[in-house]
Amino acid sequence: MFFVTILREAVQALVRNRVRSLLTMLGIIMGVGSFICVVAVGNAGSSRVEEQLRNLGENMIWVEAGSRARSGVRIGARGIKTLTVGDSQAVLRQVPGVKSASPNVDGRIQVVYGNQNWNTRYRGVSPDYFEIRSWDVRLGGAFTDDDMERNAAVCVLGQTVATSLFGDEDPVGKTINISAVPFKVIGVAQAKGFSANGFDQDDFVLMPLTTAQKRITGVEWLDDIFFSASSRADMPEATKQITALLRERHHLHAGDDNDFNIRTPEELIRARLAAANVFTLLLGIAASLSLLVGGIGIMNIMLISVTERTREIGIRLAVGATELDIQRQFLSEAVVMSLIGGALGVLAGVLGAFLLENTLHWEMELSGRIMAIAGLFSAGVGIFFGYYPARRAARLDPIESLRYE
């Protein structure tokens, strides 16, 4: 009952000066609202990066044929013939940290179905490719090791190719022509959308590696090999061992450059994710500065209130109120003000995020945890900035306060 009485009196004191109280709370409202909107934008960006990380595949290590110059340009692509299926098999046998591999050949090709045609990218891969790249098959199924051994003319379409050739028609079981070779469509891959650089990840045709080599390219060497490490912790050591083994198999001397390029795309995505998280943190800190401004406003108004209510404080002290009672009274007013401002700020943040998403089409991801943090932080601001005025009120001399006009 004691605290209920204090809170009731605090609300009554704020209602008596409702305009001033509302203007004081405005800083808290704007601070909490802007903090929620900024963090929602940052969370959406981080989620997109995390989605790209998931789409990369499971602990993937990527070996390309041909080295890269200092400027990042790939040198010797399709001209380097040293990367072979034997390299893939040797790595699986001799590098303990690698659990699976998918040799790869790829290129551009025209795909025809009836009177429809589409220029796309083909990939000749092994069945392990689907697991390494974490690529599910939405319709039908994937090809098998038996299809690899038989050089079967079967394929799995990306969603973009399936839509472009078949529209709403089910492609599974249909026959398409690839380089004048009839291929049976046995599956459609789950869509992944566009990558961070705008590349359509669903614009492809997957077929068995042996089929691509013998019916499309006519060559035995590879363009890439995709490896999957046993765990994320094994990736650095596995990368070193793969590099050493390939250099040995390709008879490269100590001073020779690699005739292949080895990368772990996950590292790039994780670096981007870390940058996105730091950017979100900085934006959140910048937005929270307005909360501090709102707190200073609360302290300013509370100091004015102490001056205006000096005689009231003197009467309370004269009739038996303790310094602690006075301190609690003024502190409760500051806390109530900041809590109401925090609640309105959360509402403003949710509405602001909704408007930004629907008018400017920004991606927003609201978080209940962030809204709770913003609300608690606003309460903390009220306690911190309300403490000094409350303590000053409690330490007023009762006699001088009663004389105050």
Side-chain angles (χ1 to χ4, degrees):
M1 292 298 295
F2 175 74
F3 287 102
V4 171
T5 302
I6 287 180
L7 289 176
R8 183 172 64 247
E9 291 183 1
V11 172
Q12 290 174 352
L14 296 178
V15 170
R16 283 197 299 269
N17 299 282
R18 58 177 64 88
V19 175
R20 186 172 69 182
S21 300
L22 181 60
L23 292 176
T24 304
M25 289 187 292
L26 191 59
I28 299 294
I29 295 171
M30 297 300 295
V32 172
S34 60
F35 179 79
I36 290 174
C37 288
V38 164
V39 174
V41 173
N43 284 344
S46 298
S47 296
R48 286 292 300 275
V49 177
E50 289 175 352
E51 182 181 357
Q52 294 168 19
L53 181 59
R54 290 191 297 269
N55 289 340
L56 279 177
E58 185 180 5
N59 305 327
M60 191 180 76
I61 301 173
W62 182 7
V63 177
E64 294 178 305
S67 60
R68 287 181 179 266
R70 293 180 182 273
S71 59
V73 178
R74 187 175 173 184
I75 299 174
R78 304 201 178 281
I80 299 294
K81 305 177 181 180
T82 54
L83 199 62
T84 64
V85 174
D87 293 330
S88 174
Q89 296 170 345
V91 169
L92 282 176
R93 288 194 307 268
Q94 301 181 43
V95 179
V98 174
K99 67 175 183 178
S100 60
S102 175
N104 171 76
V105 293
D106 59 62
R108 303 295 303 184
I109 206 164
Q110 200 76 13
V111 182
V112 179
Y113 173 72
N115 61 353
Q116 301 292 326
N117 66 85
W118 186 257
N119 185 272
T120 186
R121 176 171 291 276
Y122 72 89
R123 281 191 180 276
V125 295
S126 74
D128 288 331
Y129 177 85
F130 296 94
E131 180 183 358
I132 294 172
R133 294 299 308 273
S134 299
W135 220 307
D136 297 325
V137 178
R138 183 175 63 85
L139 297 175
F143 45 82
T144 63
D145 291 325
D146 183 59
D147 294 324
M148 288 270 290
E149 294 176 3
R150 296 186 298 105
N151 308 327
V154 294
C155 64
V156 174
L157 304 182
Q159 185 60 55
T160 299
V161 179
T163 302
S164 301
L165 292 181
F166 295 93
D168 296 330
E169 185 181 352
D170 186 358
V172 178
K174 304 296 192 303
T175 299
I176 61 176
N177 287 318
I178 303 176
S179 288
V181 178
F183 276 75
K184 180 181 179 180
V185 179
I186 61 172
V188 177
Q190 184 70 42
K192 286 192 176 184
F194 286 85
S195 64
N197 56 6
F199 175 74
D200 187 355
Q201 300 179 90
D202 303 314
D203 191 4
F204 64 84
V205 175
L206 295 179
M207 62 185 68
L209 172 68
T210 53
T211 304
Q213 287 181 318
K214 296 180 179 180
R215 302 197 183 201
I216 304 296
T217 65
V219 298
E220 294 295 327
W221 59 84
L222 304 174
D223 293 304
D224 314 89
I225 305 176
F226 300 103
F227 295 105
S228 179
S230 301
S231 67
R232 187 166 295 146
D234 291 330
M235 291 179 68
E237 183 61 28
T239 302
K240 294 178 183 178
Q241 294 184 27
I242 292 171
T243 302
L245 180 59
L246 291 181
R247 286 185 61 85
E248 179 184 347
R249 287 182 56 84
H250 296 178
H251 308 291
L252 298 176
H253 300 292
D256 296 338
D257 292 332
N258 292 336
D259 59 355
F260 59 89
N261 183 59
I262 186 166
R263 294 187 292 171
T264 52
E266 182 178 6
E267 294 179 357
L268 301 178
I269 298 296
R270 288 196 173 279
R272 189 180 301 169
L273 177 60
N277 289 336
V278 170
F279 185 64
T280 301
L281 178 62
L282 292 176
L283 287 177
I285 291 173
S288 64
L289 290 177
S290 56
L291 275 174
L292 297 180
V293 174
I296 294 172
I298 288 177
M299 183 170 65
N300 183 43
I301 293 300
M302 293 304 298
L303 287 172
I304 294 174
S305 179
V306 169
T307 303
E308 290 178 345
R309 296 162 64 185
T310 299
R311 188 174 181 83
E312 175 190 333
I313 295 169
I315 294 173
R316 286 177 179 268
L317 291 171
V319 297
T322 65
E323 291 187 3
L324 184 59
D325 293 333
I326 301 299
Q327 186 170 328
R328 284 173 177 169
Q329 178 63 41
F330 280 86
L331 189 58
S332 64
E333 291 182 17
V335 172
V336 168
M337 194 182 303
S338 61
L339 284 176
I340 295 175
L344 294 176
V346 170
L347 179 61
V350 173
L351 293 176
F354 177 79
L355 290 174
L356 289 174
E357 188 173 19
N358 288 275
T359 57
L360 301 181
H361 305 291
W362 289 5
E363 292 189 14
M364 310 290 286
E365 185 175 316
L366 292 171
S367 168
R369 182 173 63 88
I370 294 300
M371 288 188 281
I373 290 174
L376 291 175
F377 187 63
S378 66
V381 166
I383 294 173
F384 180 80
F385 286 99
Y387 177 77
Y388 174 71
R391 182 171 176 79
R392 181 175 176 179
R395 300 185 70 177
L396 289 176
D397 182 79
I399 304 301
E400 295 298 327
S401 299
L402 288 171
R403 293 174 178 173
Y404 185 81
E405 295 294 336

